[in-house]
C-alpha cells in the first residue's frame, strides 16, 4: 500500500496514524543492528571499542592485550589503537593511520605508531631512547569482532619482518557506550586534540 493509493481511493478504510507508525517501527527493528555497508552518514558515528585485554594479578593487576577504538565520519574510519604490556594504568596508544576499509567485504587495514617504553641497546647509547613500536593490522571487522593478523615492528628498523600474531578483539559494549558518550565532534577536532600516552615519534 502506498500513500498515493490511499489518496486516490478515499472510500477505502485508512489505517490510523498510530498503526502506520507501529508498522514502520516493526520494519525498522528488523534491520541489522550495525549497518556496516550503509551509505555515509553525516556527523561522527561510534562503531565501538574492540578488546582482547586480559587482566591478572589480583592486588597487583597486570594487563596484556590490545584495544581498538573506532569511529566513522562520512564513510571514513578513524580511531585509536592501544597496547597493554604491563601494569594496569595509562596505556600507550596511537592514532590509526593509512586506514583502508571496504564496507562490502568488511576488510580493514591500518597502521599505528606507539611508544611502549624506553629501550637501551647499542644504538640508543647508555641513556636509552623512546621505543618506536609500529603495529599493522590486516583483517576483517563486523559488529561483534575485529579479527586478523597483527604485526609488531621496530620503528627504527621498519624493513625487518617483525613479530606477527593472529588476534580477535571482541566488542566491549560497556566501553563502547562510554566512547559514544564522549565521541569527538568531528575527525578534524579529534586530530587536533592532545593524545596522552601517545607515540614519541
Amino acid at each position: 500500500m502506498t500513500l498515493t493509493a490511499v489518496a486516490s481511493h478515499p472510500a477505502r478504510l485508512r489505517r490510523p496514524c498510530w498503526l502506520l507508525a507501529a508498522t514502520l517501527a516493526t520494519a525498522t527493528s528488523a534491520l541489522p543492528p550495525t549497518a556496516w555497508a550503509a551509505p555515509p552518514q553525516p556527523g561522527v558515528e561510534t562503531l565501538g571499542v574492540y578488546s582482547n585485554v586480559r587482566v591478572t594479578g589480583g592486588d597487583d593487576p597486570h594487563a596484556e592485550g590490545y584495544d581498538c577504538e573506532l569511529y566513522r565520519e562520512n564513510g571514513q574510519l578513524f580511531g585509536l589503537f592501544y597496547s597493554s604490556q604491563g601494569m594496569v594504568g595509562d596505556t600507550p596508544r596511537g592514532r590509526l593511520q593509512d586506514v583502508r576499509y571496504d564496507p562490502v567485504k568488511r576488510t580493514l587495514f591500518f597502521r599505528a605508531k606507539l611508544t611502549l617504553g624506553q629501550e637501551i641497546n647499542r644504538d640508543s647509547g647508555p641513556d636509552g631512547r623512546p621505543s618506536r613500536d609500529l603495529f599493522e593490522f590486516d583483517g576483517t571487522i563486523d559488529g561483534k569482532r575485529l579479527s586478523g593478523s597483527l604485526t609488531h615492528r621496530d620503528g627504527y628498523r621498519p624493513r625487518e619482518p617483525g613479530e606477527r600474531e593472529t588476534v580477535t578483539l571482541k566488542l566491549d559494549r560497556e566501553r563502547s557506550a562510554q566512547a559514544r558518550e564522549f565521541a569527538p565532534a568531528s575527525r578534524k577536532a579529534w586530530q587536533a586534540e592532545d593524545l596522552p600516552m601517545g607515540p614519541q615519534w
Side-chain angles (χ1 to χ4, degrees):
M1 183 185 72
T2 64
L3 295 178
T4 303
V6 172
S8 60
H9 298 281
R12 293 183 181 179
L13 180 62
R14 301 188 183 187
R15 293 184 182 181
C17 294
W18 63 268
L19 182 58
L20 179 61
T23 303
L24 292 174
T26 301
T28 303
S29 64
L31 295 174
T34 306
W36 286 90
Q41 300 294 321
V44 172
E45 303 170 74
T46 302
L47 298 184
V49 177
Y50 296 80
S51 177
N52 70 350
V53 172
R54 300 175 300 278
V55 178
T56 58
D59 294 335
D60 184 24
H62 283 65
E64 181 179 354
Y66 308 101
D67 301 297
C68 188
E69 181 179 330
L70 285 171
Y71 303 93
R72 177 168 56 185
E73 181 184 59
N74 297 325
Q76 300 296 314
L77 266 63
F78 66 98
L80 297 172
F81 183 77
Y82 302 75
S83 177
S84 298
Q85 304 289 336
M87 295 184 63
V88 173
D90 291 333
T91 305
R93 66 205 68 179
R95 289 186 168 91
L96 305 190
Q97 301 176 349
D98 305 324
V99 179
R100 298 197 298 269
Y101 167 61
D102 186 327
V104 177
K105 297 179 180 179
R106 298 182 179 180
T107 57
L108 177 64
F109 172 88
F110 64 77
R111 294 186 177 94
K113 294 179 178 180
L114 282 74
T115 294
L116 300 184
Q118 288 285 115
E119 63 177 34
I120 299 178
N121 53 37
R122 181 178 58 187
D123 297 327
S124 70
D127 295 331
R129 63 185 180 183
S131 66
R132 292 183 176 182
D133 301 276
L134 177 62
F135 289 89
E136 293 182 351
F137 173 83
D138 191 359
T140 59
I141 184 172
D142 59 28
K144 294 182 178 180
R145 60 183 56 85
L146 181 67
S147 302
S149 174
L150 182 68
T151 303
H152 179 195
R153 291 189 173 90
D154 182 350
Y156 291 105
R157 303 176 182 85
R159 296 186 180 278
E160 294 185 0
E163 299 178 357
R164 179 175 296 180
E165 60 181 311
T166 300
V167 298
T168 297
L169 281 61
K170 296 182 179 179
L171 183 70
D172 186 319
R173 297 189 180 280
E174 181 177 350
R175 293 179 59 196
S176 296
Q178 295 173 353
R180 187 173 296 108
E181 182 179 356
F182 298 102
S186 68
R187 183 181 180 184
K188 183 177 180 180
W190 171 82
Q191 290 176 325
E193 293 176 353
D194 291 334
L195 184 60
M197 300 299 296
Q200 299 180 43
W201 64 297

